[in-house]
Amino acid sequence: MAFEIKALEIFLEQIKRLDEKSKRIIADKVRLIEENPYRFKRIHSKLFSKVFRVRLNIHEKETRLIYVVIKPNIILVCLLERKGDYKDLEKYLRKIKMGEL
């Protein structure tokens, strides 16, 4: 089944601020996600059952790329710093519920 990649506005804003090396790392991970969206670790959410995270190291910081699989779409939600401990995740996921694609 072919999936379509979509991104929330917050994700696009976060990507704009990154350097070329970081953008390339993220683009490679997005290609892997597109090939098999279920390959990375699933995380728990109150709003969606298929929320996943990809571990990244951007600028020496542990960062997570968060995405949701809602067939036939893969929605790239945001980049979270690991030290933030996922506090804002549900807030970002609510934007999907409100249709902010």
Side-chain angles (χ1 to χ4, degrees):
M1 170 181 234
F3 289 93
E4 184 178 343
I5 300 281
K6 295 186 177 188
L8 289 182
E9 193 64 37
I10 183 99
F11 179 80
L12 297 175
E13 289 295 320
Q14 290 173 324
I15 294 295
K16 280 183 192 176
R17 293 180 272 182
L18 296 175
D19 62 353
E20 289 304 313
K21 180 182 176 190
S22 300
K23 288 179 183 179
R24 202 169 37 254
I25 291 168
I26 292 170
D28 291 342
K29 293 295 184 181
V30 170
R31 271 189 233 101
L32 290 174
I33 291 168
E34 195 170 17
E35 288 173 15
N36 179 6
Y38 303 105
R39 91 182 317 148
F40 295 103
K41 184 174 180 181
R42 185 177 288 207
I43 58 177
H44 299 284
S45 167
K46 297 174 187 170
L47 299 173
F48 296 98
S49 62
K50 295 179 183 172
V51 181
F52 298 88
R53 65 121 171 108
V54 180
R55 292 177 67 176
L56 302 169
N57 192 339
I58 297 177
H59 301 297
E60 304 299 318
K61 294 180 183 174
E62 283 291 318
T63 306
R64 305 294 187 258
L65 187 160
I66 308 296
Y67 66 97
V68 179
V69 177
I70 303 173
K71 290 184 182 178
N73 299 318
I74 298 170
I75 302 168
L76 304 174
V77 179
C78 63
L79 297 173
L80 291 177
E81 281 190 28
R82 178 63 184 98
K83 69 176 183 166
D85 202 31
Y86 298 94
K87 289 179 206 162
D88 296 330
L89 179 59
E90 294 296 324
K91 178 180 80 173
Y92 296 138
L93 291 174
R94 257 185 229 102
K95 293 180 184 239
I96 297 172
K97 285 278 193 194
M98 294 187 290
E100 291 186 23
L101 287 177

